[in-house]
Amino acid sequence: MLAKLEEIITPVAESCGVELYEIELVKEAGSRILRIFIDKNGGVDLNDCERVSHAVSDVLDEHDPIEGAYRLQVGSPGVDRRLSRPKHFDDNIGQKVTLKLYAPHSPVDGRKKFTGTLDSYSSEKINITDTEGEKFEFDTKQVAACNVTF
Protein backbone atom coordinates (compact mmCIF):
# COMPACT_ATOMS: atom_id res chain seq x y z
CA MET A 1 0.00 0.00 0.00
CA LEU A 2 2.70 2.52 1.00
CA ALA A 3 4.78 1.69 -2.07
CA LYS A 4 1.79 2.39 -4.33
CA LEU A 5 1.11 5.67 -2.50
CA GLU A 6 4.76 6.66 -2.82
CA GLU A 7 4.64 5.91 -6.55
CA ILE A 8 1.61 8.20 -6.93
CA ILE A 9 2.74 10.99 -4.59
CA THR A 10 6.46 11.34 -5.44
CA PRO A 11 5.99 13.01 -8.86
CA VAL A 12 3.32 15.30 -7.41
CA ALA A 13 5.63 16.44 -4.62
CA GLU A 14 8.48 16.98 -7.07
CA SER A 15 6.23 19.05 -9.34
CA CYS A 16 5.56 21.26 -6.29
CA GLY A 17 9.30 21.78 -5.78
CA VAL A 18 9.72 19.53 -2.74
CA GLU A 19 11.00 16.04 -1.96
CA LEU A 20 8.77 13.33 -0.55
CA TYR A 21 10.52 12.46 2.73
CA GLU A 22 8.18 9.83 4.14
CA ILE A 23 4.59 8.54 4.14
CA GLU A 24 2.61 7.07 7.03
CA LEU A 25 -0.87 5.60 7.01
CA VAL A 26 -1.91 5.30 10.64
CA LYS A 27 -5.01 4.82 12.73
CA GLU A 28 -5.49 7.25 15.61
CA ALA A 29 -8.58 7.74 17.76
CA GLY A 30 -10.61 5.59 15.39
CA SER A 31 -9.68 7.58 12.24
CA ARG A 32 -7.23 6.77 9.50
CA ILE A 33 -4.66 9.44 8.72
CA LEU A 34 -2.41 9.64 5.69
CA ARG A 35 0.63 11.69 6.73
CA ILE A 36 2.94 12.98 4.06
CA PHE A 37 6.26 14.48 5.13
CA ILE A 38 7.98 16.76 2.63
CA ASP A 39 11.34 18.51 2.61
CA LYS A 40 13.51 20.81 0.51
CA ASN A 41 16.76 22.72 0.89
CA GLY A 42 16.16 25.48 3.41
CA GLY A 43 13.11 23.69 4.83
CA VAL A 44 9.43 23.75 3.94
CA ASP A 45 6.90 26.37 4.93
CA LEU A 46 3.14 26.47 5.26
CA ASN A 47 2.72 27.45 1.59
CA ASP A 48 4.66 24.35 0.49
CA CYS A 49 2.47 22.14 2.70
CA GLU A 50 -0.72 23.71 1.39
CA ARG A 51 0.37 23.45 -2.25
CA VAL A 52 1.32 19.77 -1.86
CA SER A 53 -1.85 19.00 0.09
CA HIS A 54 -4.09 20.35 -2.68
CA ALA A 55 -2.11 18.68 -5.48
CA VAL A 56 -1.90 15.31 -3.70
CA SER A 57 -5.58 15.42 -2.73
CA ASP A 58 -6.55 15.84 -6.39
CA VAL A 59 -4.34 12.94 -7.50
CA LEU A 60 -5.53 10.66 -4.69
CA ASP A 61 -9.15 11.43 -5.60
CA GLU A 62 -8.36 10.46 -9.18
CA HIS A 63 -6.52 7.20 -8.35
CA ASP A 64 -8.48 6.30 -5.18
CA PRO A 65 -5.73 4.01 -3.77
CA ILE A 66 -7.02 4.02 -0.17
CA GLU A 67 -10.21 2.21 0.65
CA GLY A 68 -12.53 4.04 3.02
CA ALA A 69 -12.31 7.42 4.69
CA TYR A 70 -9.08 9.04 5.84
CA ARG A 71 -7.66 12.46 6.63
CA LEU A 72 -4.70 13.89 4.73
CA GLN A 73 -1.95 15.71 6.63
CA VAL A 74 1.09 17.27 4.98
CA GLY A 75 4.00 18.56 7.01
CA SER A 76 7.73 18.77 7.54
CA PRO A 77 9.68 15.91 9.12
CA GLY A 78 10.97 18.53 11.59
CA VAL A 79 14.41 19.10 13.04
CA ASP A 80 14.23 15.85 15.03
CA ARG A 81 13.39 13.92 11.88
CA ARG A 82 13.25 10.16 11.87
CA LEU A 83 15.84 8.44 9.71
CA SER A 84 14.23 5.48 8.01
CA ARG A 85 15.68 5.25 4.51
CA PRO A 86 19.27 4.85 3.31
CA LYS A 87 19.20 8.39 1.85
CA HIS A 88 18.12 9.80 5.23
CA PHE A 89 21.12 8.16 6.92
CA ASP A 90 23.55 9.12 4.15
CA ASP A 91 22.40 12.76 4.30
CA ASN A 92 22.99 12.87 8.06
CA ILE A 93 26.46 11.31 8.42
CA GLY A 94 28.30 13.46 10.95
CA GLN A 95 25.11 14.65 12.65
CA LYS A 96 24.05 13.97 16.23
CA VAL A 97 21.42 11.20 16.44
CA THR A 98 19.49 9.33 19.09
CA LEU A 99 19.14 5.64 18.40
CA LYS A 100 16.65 3.36 20.19
CA LEU A 101 16.93 -0.41 20.09
CA TYR A 102 14.30 -3.13 20.26
CA ALA A 103 16.29 -4.96 22.96
CA PRO A 104 19.20 -3.95 25.22
CA HIS A 105 22.54 -3.67 23.42
CA SER A 106 24.38 -5.97 25.77
CA PRO A 107 23.71 -7.86 28.96
CA VAL A 108 26.41 -5.79 30.70
CA ASP A 109 25.08 -2.26 30.25
CA GLY A 110 21.46 -3.08 29.36
CA ARG A 111 21.04 0.13 27.39
CA LYS A 112 18.38 0.56 24.73
CA LYS A 113 19.04 4.24 23.93
CA PHE A 114 22.23 5.77 22.55
CA THR A 115 23.04 9.34 21.51
CA GLY A 116 26.07 10.26 19.46
CA THR A 117 27.45 11.22 16.09
CA LEU A 118 26.35 9.11 13.13
CA ASP A 119 29.65 7.84 11.74
CA SER A 120 28.48 5.46 9.02
CA TYR A 121 25.52 3.56 7.67
CA SER A 122 25.05 0.50 5.50
CA SER A 123 22.04 -1.71 4.91
CA GLU A 124 23.36 -3.99 7.69
CA LYS A 125 25.20 -1.72 10.18
CA ILE A 126 24.89 1.68 11.84
CA ASN A 127 27.93 3.13 13.63
CA ILE A 128 27.85 5.99 16.12
CA THR A 129 30.33 7.61 18.50
CA ASP A 130 28.92 8.89 21.79
CA THR A 131 29.96 12.11 23.54
CA GLU A 132 32.66 10.25 25.54
CA GLY A 133 34.22 8.99 22.30
CA GLU A 134 33.00 5.41 22.71
CA LYS A 135 32.14 3.77 19.40
CA PHE A 136 29.10 1.54 18.94
CA GLU A 137 28.06 -0.66 16.03
CA PHE A 138 24.47 -1.86 15.68
CA ASP A 139 22.82 -4.27 13.28
CA THR A 140 20.12 -2.31 11.48
CA LYS A 141 17.63 -5.02 12.50
CA GLN A 142 18.27 -4.08 16.17
CA VAL A 143 17.23 -0.45 15.61
CA ALA A 144 13.66 0.49 16.49
CA ALA A 145 14.12 4.21 15.71
CA CYS A 146 16.83 6.69 14.83
CA ASN A 147 16.24 10.44 14.93
CA VAL A 148 18.39 13.50 14.33
CA THR A 149 18.96 15.22 17.69
CA PHE A 150 19.45 18.94 18.26
Side-chain angles (χ1 to χ4, degrees):
M1 166 71 82
L2 291 179
K4 178 66 174 167
L5 288 169
E6 188 170 330
E7 183 182 310
I8 293 168
I9 295 168
T10 297
V12 176
E14 289 172 354
S15 74
C16 292
V18 299
E19 169 192 356
L20 177 63
Y21 188 83
E22 193 167 17
I23 300 173
E24 295 178 342
L25 184 58
V26 296
K27 190 170 188 172
E28 290 180 3
S31 326
R32 289 178 23 177
I33 302 169
L34 174 60
R35 287 195 182 110
I36 299 172
F37 297 97
I38 57 173
D39 201 15
K40 70 177 184 183
N41 286 339
V44 296
D45 59 24
L46 190 57
N47 291 329
D48 294 318
C49 294
E50 187 176 334
R51 187 171 52 256
V52 170
S53 179
H54 289 299
V56 166
S57 181
D58 291 344
V59 170
L60 291 177
D61 286 346
E62 179 183 321
H63 290 274
D64 199 22
I66 302 171
E67 207 173 291
Y70 64 93
R71 289 184 300 147
L72 175 63
Q73 295 177 349
V74 177
S76 162
V79 293
D80 60 344
R81 60 192 60 212
R82 179 173 57 192
L83 306 180
S84 60
R85 300 176 183 202
K87 181 183 183 331
H88 298 167
F89 284 93
D90 291 341
D91 289 349
N92 286 282
I93 300 291
Q95 298 298 314
K96 186 177 178 183
V97 297
T98 297
L99 192 133
K100 296 177 185 167
L101 304 177
Y102 288 112
H105 182 57
S106 77
V108 177
D109 61 19
R111 292 172 58 190
K112 289 177 69 173
K113 186 176 178 182
F114 296 80
T115 298
T117 302
L118 178 62
D119 296 324
S120 64
Y121 169 82
S122 73
S123 60
E124 288 114 19
K125 301 285 183 191
I126 298 173
N127 293 288
I128 67 169
T129 303
D130 71 10
T131 54
E132 287 82 42
E134 189 171 355
K135 296 186 178 294
F136 294 93
E137 180 175 86
F138 305 96
D139 290 335
T140 53
K141 292 176 183 176
Q142 289 178 277
V143 178
C146 186
N147 291 71
V148 174
T149 303
F150 284 93

